[in-house]
Amino acid sequence: MARFSTACRGQSLRVTLQVMPAIQNLLLLPGLLCDARLWRDTLALLDGTVAPHIADLTLDDTVHAMARRALQEAPDRFALAGLSMGGYVALEVMRQAPERVTHLALFDTSARPDNEDTARRRRGLMALSRRGQFKGVTPRLLPSLLHPDAVDGPLSDEVRAMADRVGHEAFLRQQLAILQRPDSRPILPGIRQPALVAVGEADILTPPDLAEEMAAALPQATLARIRLAGHLPTMEQPEICAGLMREWLTRESV
């Protein structure tokens, strides 16, 4: 967008051209038991630079279907950011429609499928949920999501409320999708878009070594370890995340 102004002085005409930054479409993919609240504070700091579109990942039970639905509702071209489960879906978007993606950001996620132990625990949680014992994010689970400094603060209540809004049925669909997701490591070297791979330094669910693995395989990746953050840095450290995303969105493909 360009803004023009003119001023006359005697017989001369002065023309001033002020170039305004372009607003970029940004498709955001939430994690398991997360909704738009996951991105709220980070987006507030990006106001005026992005047009956000937050996908609903509660309706489908495969990452393929989640990605297809997100693409159907997204703009023609967009930057793409996903956190945790949203990262799994983001990589599926890169399989289905890479030509529509200008930039890729992966927060606190992994390109690997579940190992046997993780898959077993996931099936156990699904079984409990089917028996009516769904409890969302419990106090015992919070230390695996948030930095220790945030576990007893107001952010913990917001994380629990977010999970309650997503609810039991969506939790089952999302867990099934995660359980069946493909190994995305083989596609990473072919992703040529500017990439941001970010992870909370205290993330124990998808720890920094998994972020390092992805960043090493992506040709145009920047790796960022976010201080004082666990698995949900966009809520825990929105200022840092917004700064990282602002720089990421200015990068051009080589």
Side-chain angles (χ1 to χ4, degrees):
M1 180 187 301
R3 180 181 294 167
F4 296 89
S5 65
T6 60
C8 292
R9 291 183 176 179
Q11 300 300 314
S12 65
L13 176 67
R14 186 180 76 233
V15 178
T16 302
L17 173 63
Q18 181 180 358
V19 178
M20 306 296 289
I23 295 178
Q24 294 177 266
N25 288 316
L26 177 59
L27 178 60
L28 298 158
L29 306 176
L32 173 71
L33 288 176
C34 295
D35 59 16
R37 173 61 185 89
L38 178 70
W39 304 102
R40 186 194 71 189
D41 296 345
T42 297
L43 284 175
L45 296 165
L46 293 171
D47 187 43
T49 63
V50 298
H53 307 264
I54 302 175
D56 185 352
L57 303 185
T58 67
L59 304 174
D60 301 293
D61 61 6
T62 68
V63 294
H64 181 88
M66 289 175 175
R68 185 175 64 236
R69 186 186 299 273
L71 284 164
Q72 288 171 348
E73 299 175 359
D76 289 340
R77 294 271 287 168
F78 51 84
L80 176 64
L83 185 148
S84 193
M85 180 191 73
Y88 311 150
V89 180
L91 290 170
E92 178 61 28
V93 168
M94 298 307 299
R95 285 189 182 86
Q96 294 187 24
E99 72 284 354
R100 293 176 60 183
V101 180
T102 63
H103 299 71
L104 174 66
L106 300 169
F107 284 87
D108 297 81
T109 190
S110 171
R112 293 172 175 261
D114 279 354
N115 59 37
E116 291 184 9
D117 288 342
T118 303
R120 188 180 304 110
R121 288 195 295 271
R122 200 178 301 283
R123 292 189 186 98
L125 289 172
M126 293 170 70
L128 287 173
S129 186
R130 291 190 182 101
R131 291 200 295 268
Q133 299 178 36
F134 173 77
K135 297 180 181 178
V137 174
T138 64
R140 192 174 73 174
L141 183 59
L142 282 169
S144 66
L145 295 173
L146 298 174
H147 188 275
D149 291 351
V151 167
D152 295 322
L155 200 57
S156 63
D157 293 334
E158 295 202 49
V159 171
R160 296 178 69 180
M162 184 168 59
D164 289 343
R165 288 192 298 271
V166 173
H168 159 76
E169 294 297 331
F171 171 76
L172 283 173
R173 287 190 288 269
Q174 291 179 340
Q175 287 283 33
L176 183 60
I178 294 170
L179 189 64
Q180 298 176 339
R181 73 186 186 276
D183 187 344
S184 291
R185 286 173 293 179
I187 73 168
L188 297 179
I191 295 175
R192 301 293 172 177
Q193 288 86 343
L196 167 65
V197 180
V199 62
E201 286 187 339
D203 188 348
I204 62 176
L205 292 179
T206 50
D209 63 295
L210 295 175
E212 292 167 4
E213 178 182 57
M214 290 187 296
L218 288 161
Q220 293 198 61
T222 296
L223 175 65
R225 295 172 65 124
I226 301 171
R227 60 179 180 82
L228 299 177
H231 192 60
L232 304 174
T234 55
M235 296 177 71
E236 299 170 88
Q237 297 293 340
E239 296 88 355
I240 295 175
C241 290
L244 290 170
M245 294 180 78
R246 194 176 292 112
E247 187 279 333
W248 161 66
L249 290 168
T250 64
R251 291 167 54 199
E252 296 183 0
S253 298
V254 177

PDB file of all heavy atoms in Angstrom, residues 181-197:
ATOM      1  N   ARG A 181      -0.677 -39.743  12.719  1.00  0.00           N
ATOM      2  CA  ARG A 181       0.012 -38.817  11.813  1.00  0.00           C
ATOM      3  C   ARG A 181       1.228 -39.489  11.167  1.00  0.00           C
ATOM      4  O   ARG A 181       1.852 -40.370  11.757  1.00  0.00           O
ATOM      5  CB  ARG A 181       0.450 -37.562  12.574  1.00  0.00           C
ATOM      6  CG  ARG A 181       1.625 -37.763  13.512  1.00  0.00           C
ATOM      7  CD  ARG A 181       1.875 -36.501  14.328  1.00  0.00           C
ATOM      8  NE  ARG A 181       3.085 -36.586  15.139  1.00  0.00           N
ATOM      9  CZ  ARG A 181       3.179 -37.127  16.322  1.00  0.00           C
ATOM     10  NH1 ARG A 181       2.104 -37.691  16.876  1.00  0.00           N
ATOM     11  NH2 ARG A 181       4.326 -37.128  16.991  1.00  0.00           N
ATOM     12  N   PRO A 182       1.584 -39.038   9.965  1.00  0.00           N
ATOM     13  CA  PRO A 182       2.737 -39.631   9.281  1.00  0.00           C
ATOM     14  C   PRO A 182       4.055 -39.055   9.775  1.00  0.00           C
ATOM     15  O   PRO A 182       4.093 -38.026  10.461  1.00  0.00           O
ATOM     16  CB  PRO A 182       2.493 -39.242   7.813  1.00  0.00           C
ATOM     17  CG  PRO A 182       1.741 -37.953   7.906  1.00  0.00           C
ATOM     18  CD  PRO A 182       0.854 -38.074   9.117  1.00  0.00           C
ATOM     19  N   ASP A 183       5.118 -39.707   9.423  1.00  0.00           N
ATOM     20  CA  ASP A 183       6.471 -39.205   9.663  1.00  0.00           C
ATOM     21  C   ASP A 183       6.737 -38.094   8.649  1.00  0.00           C
ATOM     22  O   ASP A 183       6.710 -38.321   7.436  1.00  0.00           O
ATOM     23  CB  ASP A 183       7.471 -40.345   9.488  1.00  0.00           C
ATOM     24  CG  ASP A 183       8.892 -39.965   9.888  1.00  0.00           C
ATOM     25  OD1 ASP A 183       9.175 -38.755  10.010  1.00  0.00           O
ATOM     26  OD2 ASP A 183       9.711 -40.886  10.075  1.00  0.00           O
ATOM     27  N   SER A 184       6.972 -36.895   9.128  1.00  0.00           N
ATOM     28  CA  SER A 184       7.174 -35.752   8.227  1.00  0.00           C
ATOM     29  C   SER A 184       8.649 -35.433   7.980  1.00  0.00           C
ATOM     30  O   SER A 184       8.956 -34.509   7.226  1.00  0.00           O
ATOM     31  CB  SER A 184       6.467 -34.513   8.779  1.00  0.00           C
ATOM     32  OG  SER A 184       5.064 -34.665   8.727  1.00  0.00           O
ATOM     33  N   ARG A 185       9.544 -36.174   8.583  1.00  0.00           N
ATOM     34  CA  ARG A 185      10.963 -35.880   8.374  1.00  0.00           C
ATOM     35  C   ARG A 185      11.383 -35.955   6.905  1.00  0.00           C
ATOM     36  O   ARG A 185      12.179 -35.103   6.461  1.00  0.00           O
ATOM     37  CB  ARG A 185      11.815 -36.827   9.227  1.00  0.00           C
ATOM     38  CG  ARG A 185      11.789 -36.491  10.715  1.00  0.00           C
ATOM     39  CD  ARG A 185      12.487 -37.541  11.542  1.00  0.00           C
ATOM     40  NE  ARG A 185      11.757 -38.824  11.524  1.00  0.00           N
ATOM     41  CZ  ARG A 185      12.163 -39.912  12.153  1.00  0.00           C
ATOM     42  NH1 ARG A 185      13.313 -39.908  12.833  1.00  0.00           N
ATOM     43  NH2 ARG A 185      11.452 -41.025  12.106  1.00  0.00           N
ATOM     44  N   PRO A 186      10.854 -36.903   6.114  1.00  0.00           N
ATOM     45  CA  PRO A 186      11.315 -36.960   4.720  1.00  0.00           C
ATOM     46  C   PRO A 186      10.974 -35.735   3.881  1.00  0.00           C
ATOM     47  O   PRO A 186      11.654 -35.473   2.880  1.00  0.00           O
ATOM     48  CB  PRO A 186      10.595 -38.204   4.178  1.00  0.00           C
ATOM     49  CG  PRO A 186      10.352 -39.065   5.374  1.00  0.00           C
ATOM     50  CD  PRO A 186      10.044 -38.085   6.468  1.00  0.00           C
ATOM     51  N   ILE A 187       9.944 -34.965   4.262  1.00  0.00           N
ATOM     52  CA  ILE A 187       9.569 -33.819   3.417  1.00  0.00           C
ATOM     53  C   ILE A 187      10.322 -32.543   3.780  1.00  0.00           C
ATOM     54  O   ILE A 187      10.297 -31.573   3.016  1.00  0.00           O
ATOM     55  CB  ILE A 187       8.051 -33.557   3.448  1.00  0.00           C
ATOM     56  CG1 ILE A 187       7.624 -32.949   4.794  1.00  0.00           C
ATOM     57  CG2 ILE A 187       7.265 -34.816   3.125  1.00  0.00           C
ATOM     58  CD1 ILE A 187       6.204 -32.403   4.798  1.00  0.00           C
ATOM     59  N   LEU A 188      10.998 -32.515   4.918  1.00  0.00           N
ATOM     60  CA  LEU A 188      11.610 -31.269   5.381  1.00  0.00           C
ATOM     61  C   LEU A 188      12.634 -30.698   4.400  1.00  0.00           C
ATOM     62  O   LEU A 188      12.633 -29.484   4.148  1.00  0.00           O
ATOM     63  CB  LEU A 188      12.241 -31.467   6.761  1.00  0.00           C
ATOM     64  CG  LEU A 188      11.273 -31.820   7.905  1.00  0.00           C
ATOM     65  CD1 LEU A 188      12.053 -32.010   9.204  1.00  0.00           C
ATOM     66  CD2 LEU A 188      10.202 -30.759   8.082  1.00  0.00           C
ATOM     67  N   PRO A 189      13.533 -31.495   3.829  1.00  0.00           N
ATOM     68  CA  PRO A 189      14.528 -30.904   2.921  1.00  0.00           C
ATOM     69  C   PRO A 189      13.919 -30.255   1.678  1.00  0.00           C
ATOM     70  O   PRO A 189      14.571 -29.406   1.058  1.00  0.00           O
ATOM     71  CB  PRO A 189      15.406 -32.105   2.541  1.00  0.00           C
ATOM     72  CG  PRO A 189      15.238 -33.066   3.671  1.00  0.00           C
ATOM     73  CD  PRO A 189      13.809 -32.926   4.082  1.00  0.00           C
ATOM     74  N   GLY A 190      12.707 -30.632   1.322  1.00  0.00           N
ATOM     75  CA  GLY A 190      12.069 -30.060   0.141  1.00  0.00           C
ATOM     76  C   GLY A 190      11.277 -28.796   0.416  1.00  0.00           C
ATOM     77  O   GLY A 190      10.730 -28.199  -0.517  1.00  0.00           O
ATOM     78  N   ILE A 191      11.197 -28.364   1.670  1.00  0.00           N
ATOM     79  CA  ILE A 191      10.455 -27.149   2.020  1.00  0.00           C
ATOM     80  C   ILE A 191      11.388 -25.946   1.859  1.00  0.00           C
ATOM     81  O   ILE A 191      12.351 -25.798   2.608  1.00  0.00           O
ATOM     82  CB  ILE A 191       9.903 -27.244   3.454  1.00  0.00           C
ATOM     83  CG1 ILE A 191       8.859 -28.364   3.543  1.00  0.00           C
ATOM     84  CG2 ILE A 191       9.298 -25.903   3.886  1.00  0.00           C
ATOM     85  CD1 ILE A 191       8.343 -28.616   4.950  1.00  0.00           C
ATOM     86  N   ARG A 192      11.115 -25.095   0.870  1.00  0.00           N
ATOM     87  CA  ARG A 192      12.018 -24.005   0.519  1.00  0.00           C
ATOM     88  C   ARG A 192      11.580 -22.658   1.067  1.00  0.00           C
ATOM     89  O   ARG A 192      12.293 -21.660   0.909  1.00  0.00           O
ATOM     90  CB  ARG A 192      12.143 -23.923  -1.016  1.00  0.00           C
ATOM     91  CG  ARG A 192      12.673 -25.200  -1.649  1.00  0.00           C
ATOM     92  CD  ARG A 192      14.114 -25.441  -1.249  1.00  0.00           C
ATOM     93  NE  ARG A 192      14.598 -26.757  -1.676  1.00  0.00           N
ATOM     94  CZ  ARG A 192      15.850 -27.168  -1.486  1.00  0.00           C
ATOM     95  NH1 ARG A 192      16.724 -26.372  -0.896  1.00  0.00           N
ATOM     96  NH2 ARG A 192      16.222 -28.382  -1.879  1.00  0.00           N
ATOM     97  N   GLN A 193      10.438 -22.595   1.697  1.00  0.00           N
ATOM     98  CA  GLN A 193       9.965 -21.333   2.254  1.00  0.00           C
ATOM     99  C   GLN A 193      10.811 -20.921   3.467  1.00  0.00           C
ATOM    100  O   GLN A 193      11.361 -21.782   4.163  1.00  0.00           O
ATOM    101  CB  GLN A 193       8.502 -21.457   2.688  1.00  0.00           C
ATOM    102  CG  GLN A 193       7.503 -21.539   1.551  1.00  0.00           C
ATOM    103  CD  GLN A 193       7.301 -22.946   1.033  1.00  0.00           C
ATOM    104  OE1 GLN A 193       8.112 -23.832   1.280  1.00  0.00           O
ATOM    105  NE2 GLN A 193       6.221 -23.172   0.301  1.00  0.00           N
ATOM    106  N   PRO A 194      10.933 -19.618   3.730  1.00  0.00           N
ATOM    107  CA  PRO A 194      11.584 -19.180   4.963  1.00  0.00           C
ATOM    108  C   PRO A 194      10.879 -19.808   6.168  1.00  0.00           C
ATOM    109  O   PRO A 194       9.652 -19.713   6.294  1.00  0.00           O
ATOM    110  CB  PRO A 194      11.413 -17.658   4.945  1.00  0.00           C
ATOM    111  CG  PRO A 194      11.237 -17.321   3.488  1.00  0.00           C
ATOM    112  CD  PRO A 194      10.502 -18.474   2.885  1.00  0.00           C
ATOM    113  N   ALA A 195      11.643 -20.435   7.039  1.00  0.00           N
ATOM    114  CA  ALA A 195      11.058 -21.191   8.143  1.00  0.00           C
ATOM    115  C   ALA A 195      11.577 -20.676   9.475  1.00  0.00           C
ATOM    116  O   ALA A 195      12.755 -20.340   9.613  1.00  0.00           O
ATOM    117  CB  ALA A 195      11.361 -22.682   7.995  1.00  0.00           C
ATOM    118  N   LEU A 196      10.683 -20.653  10.443  1.00  0.00           N
ATOM    119  CA  LEU A 196      11.031 -20.382  11.831  1.00  0.00           C
ATOM    120  C   LEU A 196      10.708 -21.637  12.630  1.00  0.00           C
ATOM    121  O   LEU A 196       9.584 -22.142  12.573  1.00  0.00           O
ATOM    122  CB  LEU A 196      10.209 -19.200  12.367  1.00  0.00           C
ATOM    123  CG  LEU A 196      10.234 -18.982  13.885  1.00  0.00           C
ATOM    124  CD1 LEU A 196      11.636 -18.612  14.354  1.00  0.00           C
ATOM    125  CD2 LEU A 196       9.222 -17.903  14.279  1.00  0.00           C
ATOM    126  N   VAL A 197      11.693 -22.149  13.347  1.00  0.00           N
ATOM    127  CA  VAL A 197      11.479 -23.283  14.249  1.00  0.00           C
ATOM    128  C   VAL A 197      11.767 -22.774  15.654  1.00  0.00           C
ATOM    129  O   VAL A 197      12.898 -22.386  15.962  1.00  0.00           O
ATOM    130  CB  VAL A 197      12.396 -24.469  13.901  1.00  0.00           C
ATOM    131  CG1 VAL A 197      12.130 -25.628  14.862  1.00  0.00           C
ATOM    132  CG2 VAL A 197      12.175 -24.914  12.460  1.00  0.00           C
TER     133      VAL A 197
END
